[in-house]
């Protein structure tokens, strides 16, 4: 019996990477195109898994956070993200401080990873600023974030920012319009820090193993930033009429591989069953 158990364990260890846990996930596929993410005070969309509440939008900008028909995908190297489906989160025509967020169970230790597909149709000729990240409260700028920004004479680039209102480090990766990007952010506390004070950004990763060096990173002094994360927040600023930004296949996880592959609930159990079936077939042969 022990030999059979070890044989099964060997099959499963080959079939499975080292999973952590998906904390929250939303691919927006259960929503109707054209719907607002919050149609009225306290009336928000609530699809996905792992969330503690529905989506919540700033009162003056509810009409600018919509469900859109926008298929998105990404594939490069060993990484393929094709489970976003046909609908996505759309930001449009927000003049300033468009806020959208959602709560999940609080996390006080890291690392924490956030991944999403990202796209714009905007030619990026004006100054736009969008940040997506984690915080300890709804309705405000995320306290650690990644995003894109551009000026009137410079291309849009990806950035890492920590804490909120603090240092913003720009990458050399341009955010080209009409292109699907895959973004992975990593939030950590440096040694001895009580707050999440470090952000690492990976744009279009190609491996299932976390790269040794991020696209860009930012670190602030120890004990700055939020001690606990409990919300995913998006903030937009200076977006003009006609500008469209899309986010899809949003994942919050405690490991890089989960942020990349985001196994659905039951995936590991199905893989284990497949391994057991293969073992039984070998025994019969």
């Amino acid at each position: 019996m022990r030999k059979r158990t070890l044989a099964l364990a060997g099959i499963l260890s080959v079939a499975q990477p080292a999973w952590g846990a998906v904390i929250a996930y939303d691919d927006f596929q259960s929503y109707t195109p054209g719907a607002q993410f919050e149609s009225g005070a306290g009336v928000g969309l609530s699809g996905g898994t792992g969330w503690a509440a529905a989506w919540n939008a700033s009162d003056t900008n509810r009409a600018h956070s919509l469900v859109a028909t926008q298929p998105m995908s990404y594939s490069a190297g060993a990484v393929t993200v094709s489970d976003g489906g046909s609908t996505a989160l759309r930001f449009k025509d927000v003049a300033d401080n468009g806020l959208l967020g959602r709560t999940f169970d609080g996390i006080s230790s890291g690392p924490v990873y956030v991944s999403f597909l990202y796209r714009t149709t905007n030619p990026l000729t004006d100054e736009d600023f969008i940040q997506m990240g984690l915080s300890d409260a709804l309705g405000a700028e995320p306290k650690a974030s990644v995003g894109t920004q551009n000026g009137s004479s410079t291309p849009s680039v990806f950035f890492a920012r920590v804490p909120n209102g603090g240092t913003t480090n720009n990458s050399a990766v341009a955010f080209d319009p009409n292109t699907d990007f895959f973004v992975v952010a990593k939030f950590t506390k440096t040694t001895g820090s009580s707050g999440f004070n470090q952000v690492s950004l990976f744009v279009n990763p190609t491996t299932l193993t976390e790269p040794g060096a991020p696209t860009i990173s930012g670190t602030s002094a120890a004990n700055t930033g939020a001690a606990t994360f409990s919300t995913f927040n998006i903030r937009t600023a200076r977006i003009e009429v006609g500008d469209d930004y899309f986010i899809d296949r949003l994942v919050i996880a405690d490991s890089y591989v989960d942020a990349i592959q985001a196994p659905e609930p039951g995936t590991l159990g199905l893989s284990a069953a497949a391994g057991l079936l293969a073992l039984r077939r070998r025994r019969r042969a």
Side-chain angles (χ1 to χ4, degrees):
M1 179 63 69
R2 178 174 174 78
K3 290 183 179 179
R4 292 173 184 171
T5 302
L6 291 176
L8 175 59
I11 291 172
L12 298 184
S13 65
V14 171
Q16 289 299 324
W19 298 111
V22 172
I23 297 163
Y25 178 95
D26 200 346
D27 60 7
F28 312 118
Q29 292 310 294
S30 63
Y31 307 147
T32 303
Q36 294 179 192
F37 272 76
E38 188 185 40
S39 57
V43 184
L45 300 178
S46 57
T49 59
W51 304 96
W55 286 98
N56 180 279
S58 54
D59 294 347
T60 57
N61 286 298
R62 288 193 188 114
H64 302 291
S65 302
L66 305 170
V67 181
T69 301
Q70 179 60 66
M72 298 169 66
S73 63
Y74 168 80
S75 183
V79 178
T80 296
V81 181
S82 59
D83 56 349
S86 61
T87 55
L89 162 61
R90 176 191 184 192
F91 285 103
K92 64 183 294 288
D93 307 343
V94 185
D96 207 359
N97 284 327
L99 297 168
L100 180 70
R102 197 169 183 186
T103 60
F104 52 87
D105 289 340
I107 303 168
S108 59
S109 62
V112 183
Y113 295 81
V114 176
S115 69
F116 52 88
L117 294 165
Y118 190 39
R119 180 186 181 94
T120 185
T121 58
N122 176 25
L124 305 172
T125 56
D126 298 303
E127 187 179 8
D128 293 347
F129 183 89
I130 300 182
Q131 59 183 138
M132 296 142 287
L134 302 179
S135 191
D136 52 5
L138 284 170
E141 178 180 350
K143 291 190 174 179
S145 63
V146 296
T148 55
Q149 63 177 344
N150 66 290
S152 58
S153 60
T154 58
S156 182
V157 295
F158 287 87
F159 68 79
R161 191 179 206 189
V162 61
N164 61 317
T167 301
T168 301
N169 292 338
N170 292 330
S171 75
V173 180
F175 179 44
D176 298 324
N178 301 310
T179 303
D180 293 344
F181 288 84
F182 185 44
V183 177
V184 181
K186 178 182 180 181
F187 304 93
T188 53
K189 299 178 180 180
T190 58
T191 302
S193 178
S194 61
F196 285 91
N197 64 326
Q198 186 172 67
V199 177
S200 298
L201 168 65
F202 305 91
V203 179
N204 291 345
T206 60
T207 65
L208 298 180
T209 302
E210 183 175 325
T215 303
I216 195 73
S217 63
T219 305
S220 61
N223 304 318
T224 57
T228 300
F229 285 145
S230 58
T231 64
F232 172 78
N233 290 354
I234 304 171
R235 172 177 173 254
T236 64
R238 300 182 292 279
I239 298 179
E240 294 77 29
V241 173
D243 292 351
D244 281 336
Y245 290 84
F246 301 92
I247 296 173
D248 199 5
R249 200 257 191 189
L250 171 65
V251 179
I252 303 174
D254 67 5
S255 74
Y256 173 86
V257 69
D258 274 309
I260 295 289
Q261 295 191 335
E264 291 291 335
T267 298
L268 298 183
L270 291 174
S271 298
L276 180 59
L277 179 60
L279 178 62
R280 287 175 177 172
R281 285 175 176 171
R282 289 182 181 180
R283 287 172 56 193
R284 290 172 183 172

